[in-house]
Amino acid sequence: MKTIDQANQEALRRILAGDPVLVDVVPATEAIPDLADRMILHAGPPIGWDRMCGPMRGAVMGIAVFEGWAENLDAAAKAAAASFAFHPNHHFGAVGPMTGLTTQSQPLMVVENKAFGNRAYCAINEGLGKVMRFGGNDAEVLNRLRWIREVLGPALGRAIRESGGIALKPLIARGLTMGDEMHQRNVACSSLLLRQLAPFLARTSKDAGELVACLDFIGRNDQFFLNIAMAMGKALADPARGIKASSVVTAMSRNGTDFGIRVSGTGDRWFTAPVEMPVGIYFPGFSEKDANPDMGDSAIVETVGLGAFAMAAAPAVVGYIGAGRASEAAVFTRSMAEIVVGSNPAWTIPAMDFAGVPTGIDIRLVVETGLAPTINTGIAHREPGVGQVGAGIVKAPLKCFQDALVAFAQTMGVE
Amino acid sequence: MKTIDQANQEALRRILAGDPVLVDVVPATEAIPDLADRMILHAGPPIGWDRMCGPMRGAVMGIAVFEGWAENLDAAAKAAAASFAFHPNHHFGAVGPMTGLTTQSQPLMVVENKAFGNRAYCAINEGLGKVMRFGGNDAEVLNRLRWIREVLGPALGRAIRESGGIALKPLIARGLTMGDEMHQRNVACSSLLLRQLAPFLARTSKDAGELVACLDFIGRNDQFFLNIAMAMGKALADPARGIKASSVVTAMSRNGTDFGIRVSGTGDRWFTAPVEMPVGIYFPGFSEKDANPDMGDSAIVETVGLGAFAMAAAPAVVGYIGAGRASEAAVFTRSMAEIVVGSNPAWTIPAMDFAGVPTGIDIRLVVETGLAPTINTGIAHREPGVGQVGAGIVKAPLKCFQDALVAFAQTMGVE
Amino acid sequence: MDEKDDGASHDLLGAPPRVINIGLEIFAVNLASQGAEVAHVRWSPPAGGNSHLAGLLEKLQGR
Amino acid sequence: MDEKDDGASHDLLGAPPRVINIGLEIFAVNLASQGAEVAHVRWSPPAGGNSHLAGLLEKLQGR
């Protein structure tokens, strides 16, 4: 029988061996054939309408109007509990930031892990401010989603296919030398991606005005790359699922009510606990009393060694999320290095003399040290329809890891 | 009478008050009406053909063919000493990297310092490898220059005018949070600039194929922004020229043979000394025996606090130029802080808790401490026609500052 | 951040040549990079003192 | 780099509470940020010992 350490090395090996490539943008039903009418995939572990937080409900109401399942937001809210089927994105190879809703008529970006042949999906980032992923649901939000569906998604798909695919491992490597940690700071990767795609967008453009609009939309959004980083995280982590005797975390995710993790050796079972409140910086006019608890599938980037785990690469983000002095960014990375199996030689941090990002969270180390994984996160308003109000950091609840350890021990014949 | 410290504060104030904006790309003769036929502006202090280094001669031969002043390179070499008039870029409001040749039919980028109304010019960056600024002069090099003149320059000019101008102060500020020091590392600013210009390039495009080619060319060149940073440096430094009693450096520049500086209180006089050899990393197949001594007007970026002065912002560049451990990048910045009048609150370095870049080199401090300004630089092959062979750091010769101090003391009635 | 404790810095300076790092990790890293001997001190007992979890961890060791 | 002198680091640790920084500047900065008193020591005489230049610098002082 393999030992735990051997199994964990295999999990790490698979994560590090991944070769994620952005290969396409396709309609959600093509990416996920099981994605039926009135079915809503959401961020985090499983949850029903009754326990959903404000912004998640706001997004559900909005997406139901967008999909034509309800006349208006009120009708959507009344219909939600009975008429819509809710499932986690993670159950369908997908991820979504914040509320993270995935439904049938959205275009999804496709990241293929060429080393293992698996694919992962994520919708296109809507920009900042009042957007659906932060619970926004008014006409402006829905019109933007329509434009993404009808113009941007198809244009991006054409450009990406024409390019032959965008290799993400070297792009992330470069982003780490340019101050990105790929969670709350994606300006470098967003800019590098646009720089790479722009000639292909131009070459495959069918309409000059639409080309201008696409270049402008992508270019104004410093977080455009986040959703790609997330699909990449999912594509990298999935091959590490289901390794017998491995105590490595394969997913961390939040739905605004519960925080959930999955562990390789315990398969696809979720270990959940109430989400914590982010601590951070609020946009003018907002404060912690407006904040919704932690939310989104985006912690998949920390799961593969980015986000708060790569904080040392991104001193500028420390101030943005209110996490202390920029010069002490490495404290986060070194701290996370205490709870992982290894580090990623392909993703290195110049300011740490090119040390690799800490990778492969071991639930044993988390429980033993009491060091909970730190996550860089956006903060949504607690009410439906408002949007983003800040950014900060949050700790994964230790209870998830403690419960997972008990279950994992059982799989090892230890009680 | 103003004291030296007061005069230096005024010089610093002018540099910091600058508001540089990339406003246009125009034919060189429009930017510099005095730029006559068979007149060649070059990097560094004044120099004639007889004392020019190999790559400078190679570039002169190439540009003469490009301009139609000679049938071929040999004919150009024979004609050079007698037929061409050589002047420093700095004497005409211009700057150029490495050989830095400026001639009548090149398009020049225009940076206007809106706070003072002055303009500075620089040609468009040709990319890496075998290019004219590193002494390259074959058909590939000349054809690229023709395409820049006929396609890229006009397209960039239209886009920049359509954009209303690109404010460079905030762009540099952002680049400093993204690992650029704006001399040997410009990937962030190059990407951010393309991101900002792409919609305007598309909107003003006259030909789809040319648009694709322009986006592709700019997008492949991590150093595209260097020439803009240089014109910006010149536009920022020029208002600080000619302040009585100021011992602040207003230009540092090299022609591959001599290093020259200008000091505010001594007007436009050059203080020169033999250039030093860069110490750095060579591309595969090359070594220090292939290297040309230090060259280019690009040290204007150090003159305004960037390049090696901002090394702490760019740990990744330290390895690229072979200057030690990336984690010790701040040593350079702190060292340069000992020879300057102040720091720039608009250009800050996250890893140093947002300390401003050291700005306003005081020749008194250089001479007193013996700390020569450090410059990040590319390394050209010493023979004409080869191109770039590496990158490294070089020190400004102390003799320039010592001679300047003697002359400066005379202006103050001290001998 | 749990990892920060600026109040500890003076003690650090008072105890060469062996430095006990009880707070700011960056500081320890710099010392270490210069050859000083640095010990990290864990403040909390394994698994936060939860004996059931600590027992499981112990039983899983070597597996 | 002139500014590096790793051999000096042990001396640093031996001389609290006043720390004389003779080498690696980054180290001094970290100490200083934690409240330790740090003195930078200049090794070379002004103007590298050139008395003419040193004299000019002195005469220019206060001007």
Side-chain angles (χ1 to χ4, degrees):
Chain A
M1 190 181 103
K2 259 198 236 172
T3 66
I4 298 172
D5 285 344
Q6 284 171 333
N8 285 349
Q9 284 303 321
E10 172 63 13
L12 178 67
R13 189 195 67 76
R14 293 189 195 177
I15 294 171
L16 300 185
D19 178 17
V21 179
L22 176 64
V23 292
D24 210 342
V25 176
V26 300
T29 47
E30 187 179 311
I32 308 171
D34 291 338
L35 193 57
D37 197 44
R38 290 168 199 267
M39 185 167 148
I40 298 176
L41 309 187
H42 58 78
I47 191 167
W49 172 261
D50 55 320
R51 293 184 67 242
M52 279 181 189
C53 66
M56 181 79 86
R57 287 186 171 190
V60 165
M61 289 148 62
I63 207 76
V65 174
F66 170 75
E67 291 285 359
W69 304 334
E71 282 284 313
N72 55 47
L73 299 176
D74 282 347
K78 285 190 188 114
S83 306
F84 307 148
F86 297 103
H87 298 278
N89 284 310
H90 265 287
H91 293 188
F92 292 85
V95 280
M98 301 304 292
T99 60
L101 303 191
T102 307
T103 51
Q104 60 185 17
S105 78
Q106 290 174 279
L108 299 186
M109 298 186 292
V110 185
V111 172
E112 181 170 321
N113 185 337
K114 298 277 185 185
F116 295 89
N118 59 305
R119 291 184 159 205
Y121 310 98
C122 189
I124 295 170
N125 193 285
E126 311 159 76
L128 301 176
K130 191 158 61 171
V131 286
M132 183 164 285
R133 74 176 184 284
F134 283 100
N137 58 17
D138 66 10
E140 181 192 338
V141 172
L142 301 191
N143 284 334
R144 191 188 303 115
L145 286 182
R146 288 185 192 103
W147 179 80
I148 289 174
R149 175 177 63 193
E150 283 145 36
V151 177
L152 181 61
L156 261 181
R158 286 192 301 270
I160 293 167
R161 289 190 298 274
E162 178 81 4
S163 77
I166 306 290
L168 297 175
K169 207 166 180 175
L171 188 60
I172 298 278
R174 193 136 219 226
L176 288 169
T177 72
M178 296 172 67
D180 276 7
E181 37 71 88
M182 267 57 73
H183 198 163
Q184 285 306 304
R185 196 169 161 96
N186 282 282
V187 58
C189 282
S190 298
S191 302
L192 291 170
L193 178 77
L194 180 59
R195 189 171 81 143
Q196 212 170 333
L197 278 181
F200 299 103
L201 281 165
R203 190 185 295 172
T204 58
S205 171
K206 294 177 169 175
D207 178 284
E210 288 185 359
L211 173 63
V212 170
C214 290
L215 291 168
D216 185 67
F217 181 85
I218 300 171
R220 284 179 191 279
N221 181 1
D222 288 351
Q223 284 288 79
F224 185 80
F225 190 77
L226 170 62
N227 296 32
I228 298 168
M230 288 175 55
M232 179 199 69
K234 173 78 173 152
L236 284 176
D238 271 357
R241 282 159 64 191
I243 300 171
K244 196 172 157 56
S246 169
S247 55
V248 163
V249 173
T250 56
M252 298 194 291
S253 185
R254 319 85 95 192
N255 57 34
T257 303
D258 300 322
F259 194 111
I261 70 168
R262 285 168 152 183
V263 177
S264 182
T266 55
D268 288 343
R269 179 170 164 192
W270 290 101
F271 301 94
T272 66
V275 282
E276 304 202 358
M277 289 298 294
V279 175
I281 301 269
Y282 289 86
F283 298 164
F286 297 104
S287 71
E288 56 272 22
K289 70 181 197 312
D290 301 306
N292 197 72
D294 189 28
M295 186 164 60
D297 289 326
S298 54
I300 194 72
V301 304
E302 274 83 4
T303 310
V304 297
L306 302 173
F309 284 56
M311 193 86 92
V317 90
V318 179
Y320 175 69
I321 62 177
R325 292 177 57 176
S327 61
E328 288 167 14
V331 168
F332 291 88
T333 296
R334 294 192 199 282
S335 173
M336 292 301 99
E338 297 201 29
I339 56 171
V340 296
V341 176
S343 65
N344 190 334
W347 288 347
T348 63
I349 300 176
M352 290 176 71
D353 286 320
F354 300 96
V357 296
T359 308
I361 302 164
D362 183 344
I363 58 168
R364 296 177 305 167
L365 294 172
V366 173
V367 172
E368 184 191 338
T369 61
L371 276 174
T374 300
I375 295 158
N376 292 350
T377 187
I379 305 176
H381 198 285
R382 58 166 64 248
E383 300 297 331
V386 182
Q388 184 171 11
V389 297
I393 60 169
V394 70
K395 299 252 179 193
L398 278 177
K399 182 178 181 297
C400 299
F401 299 85
Q402 293 166 339
D403 290 354
L405 183 75
V406 172
F408 174 75
Q410 284 173 346
T411 70
M412 301 297 292
V414 170
E415 304 212 10
Chain B
M1 189 182 102
K2 257 197 235 174
T3 66
I4 299 172
D5 285 344
Q6 284 170 334
N8 285 347
Q9 284 303 319
E10 173 62 14
L12 179 66
R13 187 195 70 74
R14 293 189 195 176
I15 294 171
L16 301 185
D19 178 15
V21 178
L22 176 64
V23 293
D24 210 342
V25 176
V26 300
T29 47
E30 188 180 310
I32 307 171
D34 291 337
L35 193 58
D37 197 43
R38 290 167 197 266
M39 184 166 150
I40 297 177
L41 309 187
H42 59 78
I47 191 166
W49 172 261
D50 55 319
R51 293 185 66 243
M52 279 182 188
C53 66
M56 181 80 86
R57 286 185 173 191
V60 165
M61 288 147 62
I63 205 78
V65 175
F66 170 75
E67 291 285 358
W69 303 334
E71 282 284 314
N72 54 48
L73 299 176
D74 282 347
K78 285 189 189 117
S83 305
F84 307 148
F86 297 103
H87 299 278
N89 285 309
H90 265 289
H91 293 186
F92 292 84
V95 280
M98 301 303 292
T99 61
L101 303 191
T102 307
T103 51
Q104 60 187 14
S105 78
Q106 290 175 277
L108 299 186
M109 299 185 292
V110 185
V111 172
E112 181 170 322
N113 185 337
K114 298 277 186 185
F116 295 89
N118 61 302
R119 291 184 162 206
Y121 310 98
C122 190
I124 294 171
N125 192 285
E126 312 159 77
L128 301 177
K130 191 157 61 170
V131 287
M132 182 162 286
R133 72 177 185 283
F134 283 100
N137 58 17
D138 67 9
E140 181 192 338
V141 172
L142 301 191
N143 283 334
R144 192 187 301 115
L145 286 182
R146 288 185 191 104
W147 179 80
I148 288 174
R149 175 178 62 194
E150 282 145 36
V151 177
L152 181 61
L156 261 181
R158 287 193 301 271
I160 293 167
R161 289 190 297 274
E162 177 81 5
S163 77
I166 305 290
L168 297 175
K169 206 165 179 173
L171 188 60
I172 298 279
R174 193 138 219 222
L176 287 169
T177 73
M178 294 172 69
D180 277 6
E181 39 69 89
M182 265 60 71
H183 198 164
Q184 285 306 305
R185 197 169 159 97
N186 281 283
V187 57
C189 282
S190 297
S191 303
L192 291 170
L193 178 77
L194 180 59
R195 190 172 82 145
Q196 211 170 333
L197 277 182
F200 299 104
L201 281 165
R203 191 185 295 172
T204 58
S205 171
K206 295 176 168 175
D207 178 284
E210 290 186 357
L211 173 63
V212 171
C214 290
L215 291 168
D216 185 66
F217 181 86
I218 301 171
R220 284 180 192 279
N221 182 0
D222 289 350
Q223 284 287 77
F224 186 81
F225 190 77
L226 170 62
N227 297 31
I228 298 168
M230 288 175 55
M232 179 201 69
K234 174 77 173 153
L236 285 175
D238 270 357
R241 281 159 64 191
I243 300 172
K244 197 173 157 53
S246 169
S247 55
V248 163
V249 173
T250 56
M252 298 194 291
S253 185
R254 319 87 94 193
N255 57 34
T257 302
D258 300 320
F259 193 111
I261 70 168
R262 286 168 151 183
V263 176
S264 183
T266 55
D268 287 343
R269 181 171 163 191
W270 290 101
F271 302 95
T272 65
V275 281
E276 305 203 357
M277 289 298 295
V279 176
I281 301 269
Y282 289 86
F283 298 166
F286 297 104
S287 71
E288 55 274 22
K289 71 181 196 308
D290 302 305
N292 197 73
D294 189 27
M295 186 165 58
D297 289 326
S298 54
I300 195 71
V301 305
E302 274 83 4
T303 310
V304 298
L306 302 173
F309 284 56
M311 194 86 91
V317 93
V318 179
Y320 175 68
I321 62 177
R325 292 177 58 175
S327 61
E328 288 167 14
V331 168
F332 292 88
T333 297
R334 294 190 198 284
S335 173
M336 293 301 99
E338 297 200 31
I339 56 171
V340 298
V341 176
S343 64
N344 190 336
W347 289 347
T348 64
I349 299 176
M352 291 177 70
D353 287 319
F354 300 96
V357 296
T359 308
I361 302 163
D362 184 344
I363 58 167
R364 295 177 304 168
L365 295 173
V366 173
V367 172
E368 185 191 337
T369 62
L371 276 174
T374 300
I375 295 159
N376 293 350
T377 188
I379 305 176
H381 197 286
R382 57 167 62 247
E383 301 296 331
V386 183
Q388 183 170 10
V389 297
I393 59 170
V394 70
K395 300 250 180 193
L398 278 176
K399 181 178 181 297
C400 299
F401 299 85
Q402 293 166 340
D403 290 355
L405 184 75
V406 173
F408 174 74
Q410 284 172 346
T411 70
M412 301 297 291
V414 170
E415 306 210 11
Chain C
M1 278 293 299
D2 296 346
E3 292 73 28
K4 293 178 197 163
D5 183 358
D6 283 329
S9 53
H10 291 290
D11 295 339
L12 277 179
L13 294 176
R18 188 158 203 284
V19 177
I20 302 191
N21 180 43
I22 51 178
L24 191 63
E25 213 178 293
I26 275 180
F27 186 75
V29 169
N30 281 334
L31 288 177
S33 75
Q34 293 171 73
E37 193 180 341
V38 178
H40 287 266
V41 176
R42 185 94 61 213
W43 283 102
S44 52
N50 180 319
S51 58
H52 174 224
L53 294 171
L56 287 181
L57 286 169
E58 205 175 312
K59 288 179 199 164
L60 287 171
Q61 267 195 348
R63 296 250 180 169
Chain D
M1 278 290 300
D2 296 345
E3 292 73 28
K4 292 177 199 165
D5 183 358
D6 284 328
S9 54
H10 291 290
D11 295 338
L12 277 178
L13 294 175
R18 189 157 202 281
V19 177
I20 302 192
N21 180 43
I22 52 178
L24 191 63
E25 214 178 292
I26 275 180
F27 186 76
V29 169
N30 281 336
L31 290 177
S33 75
Q34 294 170 72
E37 194 180 339
V38 179
H40 289 266
V41 175
R42 186 94 59 215
W43 284 101
S44 52
N50 180 319
S51 58
H52 174 223
L53 295 170
L56 288 181
L57 286 168
E58 204 175 314
K59 288 180 198 162
L60 287 170
Q61 268 197 347
R63 294 251 179 167

